[in-house]
Amino acid sequence: MTINQISIFLENKYGKLSEILALLGKENIRIIAATVADTSEFGILRMIVSDAQEAYRLLNENNVNANLTDVLAITTESSAGTFASTLALFTQAGISIEYMYCFSVREKAILILRTNNRESALEVIRRQNLGYLSENELLNL
Amino acid sequence: MLILKGVNIFPTQIEKILMQFHELGNNYLIIVETINNNDEMLIEVELSDLFTDDYSVLQSLTKSITRQLKDELLITPRLKLVSKGSLPVQEGKAVRVKDLRKF
């Protein structure tokens, strides 16, 4: 039920992001979703890629600080209010969202979520019968 | 040794603190420069392989290192975390201090 996400430490330096993306592109690693959280000193690039393990190996080999974290990929209809009602289910269960990003493919909206309690979040998905994607399904969209 | 704001500072004092944190690698660089007529210290230090993407952990790590450095040096340096392998590799004795002050 969880998806491997690769997180990368990004120095606040001209050209750093391009350099990392070019490295992944050269090795034929496809980026499915990406987000950058930034501060004045550094940023964290989080991505869902076609081969997270390979990306991790490649980045480490090239002296880029990276790690793998598990996140959830929840699917909802791409319509007004569905986002709010989905997140409310987690809030009602006392779960905090550490970060999230979303994208849509055709009629579907996909929310990538990292919560403070994975087990409780999985329980909410099961109990509320929420749509979710496995890693394979996400990679083959 | 360098003198900053009237305080004697030995790079080994800084190294001793940095090496206590397993989140940090072995390579660091102390940059001293004049900003708005004040001498300021910037310490760039490489992260180790134990990288976490938890933003709050990285922030509290920066705060905790800065606090310990301040207690040791009596001045507050600015700390910048950098990627592993991004600082210049030194052959032989490492040059750890870059003094860019305008005297």
Side-chain angles (χ1 to χ4, degrees):
Chain A
M1 268 172 112
T2 55
I3 311 280
N4 255 335
Q5 168 195 257
I6 187 142
S7 303
I8 297 160
F9 178 82
L10 266 187
E11 260 175 72
N12 196 355
K13 208 173 180 182
Y14 177 78
K16 200 71 198 169
L17 179 59
S18 303
E19 198 183 293
I20 289 168
L21 297 178
L23 186 68
L24 296 173
K26 214 170 74 186
E27 293 299 319
N28 225 9
I29 292 169
R30 186 167 63 96
I31 296 164
I32 291 155
T35 178
V36 178
D38 73 312
T39 68
S40 56
E41 297 290 355
F42 61 84
I44 296 171
L45 170 63
R46 298 186 173 108
M47 293 190 291
I48 306 292
V49 295
S50 54
D51 188 342
Q53 298 287 349
E54 177 60 14
Y56 177 72
R57 190 197 58 77
L58 179 72
L59 291 164
N60 256 305
E61 246 179 44
N62 284 277
N63 271 338
V64 177
N65 285 98
N67 81 349
L68 293 170
T69 28
D70 50 358
V71 290
L72 299 165
I74 294 169
T75 56
T76 69
E77 289 308 310
S78 182
S79 61
T82 47
F83 200 174
S85 54
T86 305
L87 284 194
L89 299 172
F90 291 93
T91 310
Q92 281 154 18
I95 300 165
S96 296
I97 308 294
E98 287 182 358
Y99 56 79
M100 61 143 294
Y101 46 105
C102 56
F103 60 105
S104 46
V105 178
R106 290 178 284 276
E107 301 299 301
K108 283 230 171 308
I110 297 148
L111 316 180
I112 307 287
L113 286 186
R114 170 86 177 173
T115 66
N116 65 339
N117 188 332
R118 190 180 70 154
E119 292 314 311
S120 305
L122 290 171
E123 185 55 35
V124 169
I125 294 173
R126 275 189 223 109
R127 217 176 31 211
Q128 303 288 343
N129 216 10
L130 293 177
Y132 65 91
L133 294 175
S134 68
E135 191 150 339
N136 263 343
E137 288 167 329
L138 187 61
L139 302 183
N140 292 312
L141 277 178
Chain B
M1 186 193 76
L2 58 120
I3 300 172
L4 194 82
K5 296 178 178 172
V7 182
N8 294 346
I9 293 169
F10 292 89
T12 48
Q13 288 175 282
I14 294 169
E15 183 166 318
K16 195 181 78 187
I17 305 274
L18 297 180
M19 295 307 129
Q20 287 169 16
F21 291 86
H22 61 277
E23 296 92 341
L24 303 178
N26 295 325
N27 217 358
Y28 66 93
L29 183 64
I30 303 161
I31 301 164
V32 190
E33 55 193 335
T34 308
I35 299 172
N36 298 330
N37 296 321
N38 278 321
D39 289 349
E40 303 287 349
M41 178 186 281
L42 167 69
I43 301 171
E44 292 189 344
V45 59
E46 286 182 8
L47 286 165
S48 70
D49 282 329
L50 299 164
F51 165 63
T52 166
D53 78 330
D54 190 329
Y55 174 69
S56 58
V57 171
L58 287 172
Q59 253 194 338
S60 62
L61 172 69
T62 308
K63 271 191 195 156
S64 162
I65 301 166
T66 308
R67 195 173 48 241
Q68 288 206 34
L69 286 167
K70 187 189 172 191
D71 290 347
E72 172 72 25
L73 307 175
L74 307 174
I75 60 149
T76 309
R78 202 158 64 85
L79 187 84
K80 187 180 177 193
L81 302 174
V82 299
S83 296
K84 59 178 179 176
S86 64
L87 292 175
V89 179
Q90 313 282 347
E91 298 250 335
K93 191 171 161 37
V95 179
R96 301 290 195 188
V97 182
K98 215 186 215 181
D99 197 339
L100 307 173
R101 283 178 289 185
K102 300 177 194 112
F103 291 104

